[in-house]
Amino acid sequence: MKILIKNKDVNEALKEVSNLGFIPTMGSLHKGHEYLIKQSKKKCNQTIVSIFINPTQFNNKKDYLSYPKNLKKDLNILKKLKVNYVYIPNKKDVYSFKRKKSIVLKKENRVLCAKFRKGHFEGVIDVMDRLTSIIRPNKIFMGEKDYQQLMLVKKFIEKKYKTKIVSCKTIRNKDKLALSSRNHLLNKQDLIKASKIAIELFNLKKFLKNKKKTKTLLQKKLKLLKKNFDVKIDYLEIRKKDNLKSSSNIKNSKIFIAYFINKVRLIDNF
Ligand code: AMP
């Protein structure tokens, strides 16, 4: 496994590589990341994983500073998975060139996390553009766990590059909680709470099948979750899978949630 730091090392190492799979991450790797890597290994000749906590996508400095870091453990995981390359760039190398055109989300895209985390997706798209232009992968593997991110990045990258975005299912623990690096910031009780909320939403999805008054039912569930679990909820909404437009029918749609346990913001979709 080759560790690459400088952009020129990336260019040199990847010069002759064809059918390259890329998994961008912010580290603190878990089985969700591992699944993306395994998909890349299945579908591509070589696989590169990046570990970069991108400062520009954090709308809150404290959140950025407290983001979990486990580089040593991450490298062990990647070695075991027989990843070909790990790219661990410095901030100044990723941001060495200036954008010609700044990234502005369309009004219709300013929903869910885009509404609550100002500048977040602009930062994500910017860094994905930069990483893609440095690495030039054939495929990028991304998780449905971050569904809105996946949709926005896919639209931008596939329009600008030949690279294809491959979407991968959400990996959960045995209690239905979606794996996330942010789970490291939760204690045992909080993790149990987060699992219970995930189970509630799985059941809600089943319950909403063929129901008409979904908006009212969702409002009821929102109140109940707040009361029973003492969580702050940014949103609990049903939106269409293909364009994230608001929907009152669960068919071809998903339930999206973002909520806080203490100061930790968690997102999921069902
Ligand atoms: P992150 O390190 O959180 O920026 O995530 C890197 C990539 O892993 C993104 O494409 C995420 O959507 C994906 N990912 C994170 N958690 C999971 C999960 N539980 N299952 C599948 N993919 C995930």
Side-chain angles (χ1 to χ4, degrees), residues 13-25:
L14 302 180
K15 211 163 47 187
E16 309 277 311
V17 178
S18 63
N19 194 12
L20 177 68
F22 170 40
I23 299 94
T25 82

Side-chain angles (χ1 to χ4, degrees), residues 105 109 121 125 148-156:
L105 291 194
N109 289 329
F121 288 120
I125 294 169
Q148 191 179 15
Q149 163 177 287
L150 170 70
M151 301 275 284
L152 290 169
V153 169
K154 186 176 172 71
K155 217 171 198 170
F156 184 93

Side-chain angles (χ1 to χ4, degrees), residues 23-33 35-36 52 57 67 141-147 149-150 168-172 177-182:
I23 299 94
T25 82
M26 299 208 293
S28 277
L29 302 180
H30 50 66
K31 297 267 187 259
H33 298 113
Y35 180 73
L36 306 189
F52 180 59
Q57 73 187 67
Y67 196 84
F141 294 81
M142 299 184 72
E144 287 181 8
K145 156 78 171 50
D146 302 280
Y147 198 86
Q149 163 177 287
L150 170 70
C168 302
K169 69 179 181 189
T170 301
I171 304 299
R172 299 176 179 277
L177 175 63
L179 301 185
S180 164
S181 306
R182 286 178 193 272

Side-chain angles (χ1 to χ4, degrees), residues 166-194:
V166 183
S167 86
C168 302
K169 69 179 181 189
T170 301
I171 304 299
R172 299 176 179 277
N173 71 10
K174 62 175 183 1
D175 302 317
K176 295 250 193 290
L177 175 63
L179 301 185
S180 164
S181 306
R182 286 178 193 272
N183 293 354
H184 286 293
L185 303 172
L186 299 176
N187 65 30
K188 225 174 168 183
Q189 288 309 312
D190 294 340
L191 287 168
I192 293 172
K193 196 186 265 194

